[in-house]
Amino acid sequence: LENVRQSPIRVLYVEDEDDIRMVAEIALGGDVFELHACATGQEAVSKAADLNPDVLLLDVMMPGMDGPSTLDQLRKLPSLADTPAIFMTAKVQPSEIQQLKSLGALDVIAKPFDPMGLADQLRTILEAA
Amino acid sequence: MNNAPLARNQKLLALQQSYIAQLPDKLAKIRAYWEQVQHSPDDSERFDELYRGVHSLAGSAGTFSFFTLGQLARQTEQQLKQWHGQPHEAALVQTINDLLAQLLESAAAGPEGKPAPVSETTPTVTKTQSAKQLVYILDDDGTHAEELADQLQHFNYCSIVFSDTVQLQKVMNTKPPAALISNVHLKEGPWRGTQFVQQSETIQQHNIPVIYVSGSMDWQTRLATVRAAGRAFLSKPLDVTAVVEQLAQLTTPPTEDPYRVLIVEDTELLAQHYANVLQNAGMQTEVLTDASQLLDRLPEFKPELILLDLYMPCCSGIEAAQVIRQNASYNSIPIVFLSTEQALGRQLSAMGHGGDDFLQKPIQDQHLIAAVSIRAQRFRTLKSLMIRDSLTGLLNHITLKQNLQAAIAQTLRSNSVLSFVMLDIDHFKSINDTHGHPCGDRVIKTLARLLTERLRKSDIVGRYGGEEFALLLPDTDVSVATRLVNGLREDFSRIGHSSTSYEFRVTFSAGIASTPPHTDMDSLIRSADEALYDAKHAGRNRVKMQLV
C-alpha cells in the first residue's frame, strides 16, 4: 500500500443486497477509495482480473456463491493471490470471526455498519496491516 | 471525509427513506415464509429463504438506524436455527411468533436516534409509487391465504396472514391495519371470525373495515357477517379482483372534490348568504350579481349546479336559463330557480324553460343544502358515466384525449416534463378465444385495477381501446416512467388469472413518449404508439421508449 497517497485505493466489493450496496457506495465515495461494487460473487470473479483491485471487500452470506467461496475463486487469479481481503458479516461471534480470518481474511467488519464510519473503519484496518 | 458530508448525508437519508418504504414488504415476506415452513418443516429451500431474510434484516436494519429491529432480527435468527433442529417444539414456535410480532412493532416505530430530518430529495424509485396499505388476513387455510397475500402485493397492498386470533390480536393492538379480511369460521371454532371482530376493541376504535370470506353463501352466514360489522362479503374461492375492488372502496377515504355551485343573484347580500351556507356545507361557490357575465364564467368555473334568481334587473332567470341551454355542452348542468314566487303556475312555467327545480325564498339553510347537493351529486354521477369506460371505470378515449391536451399545455407552461404511455395486453385475442369473453373482460378489469392502485393521484389512467390502455404521468421523465411501467409489467405478469379450467398468466407491452420533445398531442401519441409497435415486434412483454 505504498501508493496510497498517490492514487485511490481500488476496492472490489461484493454485496447481494441492493440497499446495503448503495449505502456502501455512498459511504466510500470520495477520492480515498475507488469502489467497484458487484451484486454477486460471479460478477466479482469475472471483473476481478481486469480491475486489479487493492482490496477485496466481501459480504459473507449471499445466495449462490457466498463470500468465502468467492474469495476462494478470486485467490485462484495469480494477481489476487495476496490481495488483502476483508469480510463483512452480521455474525460477530468470536469463533466465527476466527474462522473467517483463518480463510485468509485480514479482518472482519461487523454488520450492521455505521455508514458514516465505514470509510474510517476500512482505512484503519488497512493501515494496521 | 473527502466528499462533502452534507451531500452524503442527504443521499443516505434518501436511501433510508427507500429502506423504510420496503420494510413492510420484507417483514410480510418473512412472516409468510414462517407460516409456510411451519406447515412443511422439511421444505429446506423455504427455510433458507426465511433464514436469509431474517439474517439480512439483522445485518442491514442498524445501518438505517433501526437498531432494535436489527437486534430482534438477530434473536429471531438464533431461534430459527434452533427451531430448524426441532420443528415441533411448541415453546420455540411461540418465542418466534412473539419475536415476529415485536419485529413488526419496532419497524412501525420508525428509525431510532435523532429524528431524521426531512430530506429534500425523495428517492426517485419510490416517487411514482404511493405507500402500501397494510391488510391483515385471518385465515387458517394456509396455502390459499398465502396466495391471496401474494397477489394483493401487486395491487399495492402489503398483507400479512394470521392463522389464529391470539396472534392477530397482539399485532393488531400495536399496528392496526387499513382493513381486515377474515374467515367467518376458523379451526378454532365455528363463527370464531365474526366473534373475534365483535370482541376486538381495536377494530371498533379505529373503525377498521372488515371483509368476510366464507365457503358458504347462505342467509345465516351473510346475516352473521352483517351483524358482525362486515362491510363486504365474498365467497370462496376468492376472486382477487373482487377482493381488491372491495379493499379499494373500503380503504380510500371519500376525498371527493367539493361540489361547485354558481350563484346568480342580483342582491349581493343575499347571494353572499347563500354562498356562506353552501360553503359551510363543504361546497365551492362563486357569486355573479350580473347575469350577463354568465357565459364568461361558465367555461372556467365549470359549475355542477347553477342557482338562479328568477327576477333580476337585466333579464329574468327564465331567459338566462334559456341562454345557458343554447350551448349544447351546458345542457345537463342542473339549474335551480330561487324566487319568492308562490303561484304554482309561474313556478311550473319556469321549470318548462330549462330549470330543474324551484326553491321558494326565504329558504331554510338545511333545505338549500339538501336541494343543491342531491342534484349536484346526480349530475356528477351522470357525467362520470359519460366520461368513463363502463367496464373498467377508467376515463374513456375522448375524455382521456381532452385530459392529455390539457396536461401537455400545463407541462409546457410550467416547463416540466410529462410522459405518455400506451399499453397493450399481449395476445389478447387468444385469451378471448381460449377462455371466453367474460374471462377476457376480467383480465382487462384486473389490469385497470392494477394501474389505478399503483399510480399516483395526479396520474391519469384511461382505456384507450379494446385491450389498449394509456397512462398520463405528469412530472415524470421517460426513464422514470420506463422503470415504473416495467415494474407494473413484471407485477402484472405474476398475477394468476383463473378460467374455468386452469390458471393462466398474461403480459403486456408498452411504448413511452414524452413532452418535451413532443409539443403537440398528435405527435406525442404517434411516438408512443410507434414505441409500442417496437415493443410488440421485439417479442412483446417489454417496454420501449420513443426514438429520439
Side-chain angles (χ1 to χ4, degrees):
Chain A
L1 293 169
E2 302 86 335
N3 57 351
V4 162
R5 300 295 154 204
Q6 283 79 36
S7 58
I9 304 171
R10 192 175 280 188
V11 183
L12 177 62
Y13 173 50
V14 196
E15 164 66 64
D16 64 307
E17 276 182 78
D18 297 345
D19 37 23
I20 292 297
R21 201 171 55 246
M22 285 194 279
V23 169
E25 278 175 352
I26 295 165
L28 299 181
D31 42 24
V32 176
F33 297 101
E34 178 188 313
L35 191 69
H36 296 266
C38 306
T40 63
Q42 283 89 340
E43 190 187 340
V45 172
S46 69
K47 278 187 180 167
D50 293 337
L51 207 57
N52 202 16
D54 301 314
V55 187
L56 308 170
L57 187 57
L58 310 161
D59 181 37
V60 172
M61 192 160 165
M62 296 186 285
M65 201 164 155
D66 65 6
S69 32
T70 306
L71 182 60
D72 228 30
Q73 293 294 316
L74 289 172
R75 287 280 188 237
K76 287 185 183 155
L77 298 168
S79 61
L80 298 186
D82 299 314
T83 311
I86 297 169
F87 280 121
M88 295 180 93
T89 179
K91 293 187 205 255
V92 281
Q93 256 138 49
S95 62
E96 285 163 327
I97 292 182
Q98 269 319 312
Q99 198 227 333
L100 287 170
K101 280 191 175 172
S102 73
L103 297 173
L106 190 55
D107 209 337
V108 176
I109 294 179
K111 285 167 93 176
F113 59 84
D114 169 15
M116 297 314 263
L118 184 64
D120 288 341
Q121 205 178 347
L122 195 55
R123 214 155 26 166
T124 314
I125 294 174
L126 291 175
E127 274 162 12
Chain B
M1 311 261 150
N2 276 272
N3 64 346
L6 206 71
R8 187 190 296 189
N9 215 351
Q10 283 288 321
K11 286 189 202 159
L12 287 172
L13 273 175
L15 281 179
Q16 186 187 46
Q17 288 304 317
S18 108
Y19 186 81
I20 294 173
Q22 292 165 14
L23 210 44
D25 253 9
K26 291 189 175 162
L27 291 172
K29 234 179 231 158
I30 288 173
R31 178 102 211 165
Y33 289 157
W34 168 237
E35 295 283 339
Q36 285 168 16
V37 296
Q38 284 183 83
H39 284 282
S40 38
D42 296 331
D43 187 345
S44 62
E45 208 171 296
R46 256 301 116 85
F47 180 80
D48 286 349
E49 276 178 278
L50 168 65
Y51 188 82
R52 202 179 306 128
V54 175
H55 176 83
S56 115
L57 263 191
S60 64
T63 296
F64 297 102
S65 303
F66 283 86
F67 303 111
T68 314
L69 182 69
Q71 275 152 15
L72 284 167
R74 195 179 297 282
Q75 287 174 30
T76 314
E77 183 185 341
Q78 283 155 6
Q79 296 296 327
L80 275 174
K81 209 188 230 171
Q82 278 193 38
W83 175 84
H84 198 46
Q86 39 188 338
H88 300 292
E89 179 66 46
L92 266 178
V93 171
Q94 190 51 47
T95 312
I96 295 171
N97 277 336
D98 288 345
L99 279 167
L100 291 183
Q102 287 178 54
L103 277 179
L104 269 184
E105 201 175 322
S106 98
E112 294 157 56
K114 52 181 188 301
V118 181
S119 114
E120 283 165 39
T121 47
T122 34
T124 39
V125 193
T126 49
K127 183 192 155 206
T128 38
Q129 280 182 13
S130 44
K132 288 201 171 190
Q133 300 233 56
L134 187 62
V135 174
Y136 292 160
I137 302 173
L138 176 57
D139 190 334
D140 45 18
D141 171 13
T143 51
H144 280 108
E146 291 303 338
E147 253 168 51
L148 174 66
D150 194 42
Q151 298 274 319
L152 286 180
Q153 209 164 288
H154 303 308
F155 294 93
N156 229 15
Y157 293 99
C158 169
S159 40
I160 303 174
V161 179
F162 296 88
S163 53
D164 66 285
T165 55
V166 181
Q167 200 55 42
L168 173 60
Q169 185 57 57
K170 254 192 220 163
V171 177
M172 186 108 89
N173 285 342
T174 53
K175 181 126 183 78
L180 170 70
I181 300 174
S182 173
N183 258 14
V184 174
H185 306 296
L186 293 171
K187 292 194 186 114
E188 282 174 48
W191 309 109
R192 191 65 193 97
T194 45
Q195 276 168 12
F196 169 77
V197 170
Q198 277 173 309
Q199 287 159 4
S200 164
E201 279 172 27
T202 317
I203 291 178
Q204 283 155 25
Q205 249 173 39
H206 296 267
N207 200 12
I208 296 166
V210 181
I211 299 175
Y212 284 107
V213 295
S214 174
S216 52
M217 294 154 61
D218 54 57
W219 175 256
Q220 277 312 321
T221 311
R222 284 172 178 274
L223 191 61
T225 64
V226 171
R227 287 180 176 160
R231 303 267 281 272
F233 178 83
L234 296 167
S235 64
K236 283 186 163 183
L238 284 173
D239 172 9
V240 176
T241 313
V243 177
V244 174
E245 244 160 55
Q246 291 294 349
L247 279 178
Q249 255 178 37
L250 295 175
T251 56
T252 21
T255 51
E256 275 203 88
D257 299 331
Y259 297 129
R260 290 183 303 279
V261 180
L262 183 63
I263 301 164
V264 189
E265 159 74 65
D266 63 304
T267 315
E268 173 104 43
L269 215 60
L270 203 50
Q272 216 47 63
H273 170 72
Y274 296 145
N276 287 342
V277 169
L278 296 178
Q279 273 168 23
N280 287 340
M283 297 181 217
Q284 197 183 334
T285 59
E286 200 169 298
V287 168
L288 277 185
T289 46
D290 178 3
S292 65
Q293 290 168 9
L294 254 174
L295 293 183
D296 297 329
R297 291 307 304 150
L298 282 179
E300 242 179 74
F301 184 57
K302 295 194 204 70
E304 290 165 298
L305 184 136
I306 302 170
L307 213 50
L308 202 52
D309 186 15
L310 202 52
Y311 297 106
M312 293 177 288
C314 72
C315 64
S316 80
I318 293 178
E319 289 163 345
Q322 284 174 302
V323 172
I324 294 171
R325 295 286 193 232
Q326 277 173 353
N327 188 331
S329 53
Y330 301 138
N331 232 330
S332 53
I333 300 179
I335 297 175
V336 173
F337 291 116
L338 268 169
S339 168
T340 48
E341 184 64 66
Q342 285 189 10
L344 187 62
R346 294 287 293 273
Q347 289 191 6
L348 287 177
S349 136
M351 311 248 276
H353 289 92
D356 292 277
D357 203 351
F358 198 102
L359 298 178
Q360 198 175 326
K361 291 189 207 170
I363 181 169
Q364 284 189 347
D365 296 352
Q366 284 314 312
H367 187 175
L368 177 67
I369 293 168
V372 167
S373 53
I374 288 167
R375 290 189 174 279
Q377 188 195 10
R378 179 150 343 129
F379 172 71
R380 197 174 269 189
T381 312
L382 283 174
K383 211 173 120 201
S384 86
L385 288 179
M386 290 186 280
I387 64 171
R388 288 187 184 275
D389 171 62
S390 60
L391 178 67
T392 59
L394 301 179
L395 293 185
N396 61 26
H397 187 101
I398 295 173
T399 324
L400 183 84
K401 277 185 147 182
Q402 286 167 352
N403 274 283
L404 180 56
Q405 190 92 62
I408 291 173
Q410 168 64 30
T411 302
L412 294 174
R413 255 203 313 276
S414 62
N415 245 335
S416 56
V417 51
L418 165 82
S419 282
F420 178 68
V421 186
M422 294 274 271
L423 198 153
D424 191 87
I425 300 178
D426 295 327
H427 301 294
F428 187 71
K429 194 179 167 312
S430 82
I431 297 170
N432 270 340
D433 292 347
T434 319
H435 307 288
H437 285 272
C439 194
D441 280 356
R442 272 207 304 281
V443 171
I444 287 179
K445 271 173 88 165
T446 303
L447 179 54
R449 221 355 118 185
L450 177 76
L451 296 174
T452 38
E453 287 296 316
R454 289 280 296 273
L455 295 174
R456 297 166 301 179
K457 251 198 116 177
S458 53
D459 299 327
I460 291 174
V461 188
R463 187 169 176 207
Y464 203 72
E467 66 268 25
E468 209 172 8
F469 294 77
L471 314 178
L472 251 149
L473 312 172
D475 297 317
T476 308
D477 65 28
V478 192
S479 63
V480 172
T482 306
R483 206 158 12 151
L484 171 77
V485 178
N486 255 321
L488 292 168
R489 181 184 58 77
E490 279 169 21
D491 283 346
F492 182 64
S493 71
R494 291 196 199 104
I495 293 176
H497 306 270
S498 45
S499 73
T500 42
S501 39
Y502 58 95
E503 199 183 85
F504 60 99
R505 309 271 147 154
V506 182
T507 59
F508 69 71
S509 306
I512 305 180
S514 66
T515 294
H518 298 283
T519 50
D520 69 294
M521 184 171 76
D522 290 338
S523 81
L524 181 62
I525 293 180
R526 202 177 325 115
S527 177
D529 207 23
E530 281 164 9
L532 171 61
Y533 184 84
D534 278 355
K536 289 275 180 186
H537 274 255
R540 299 184 169 84
N541 190 18
R542 64 198 63 210
V543 180
K544 291 270 182 184
M545 284 189 240
Q546 63 196 355
L547 295 170
V548 188

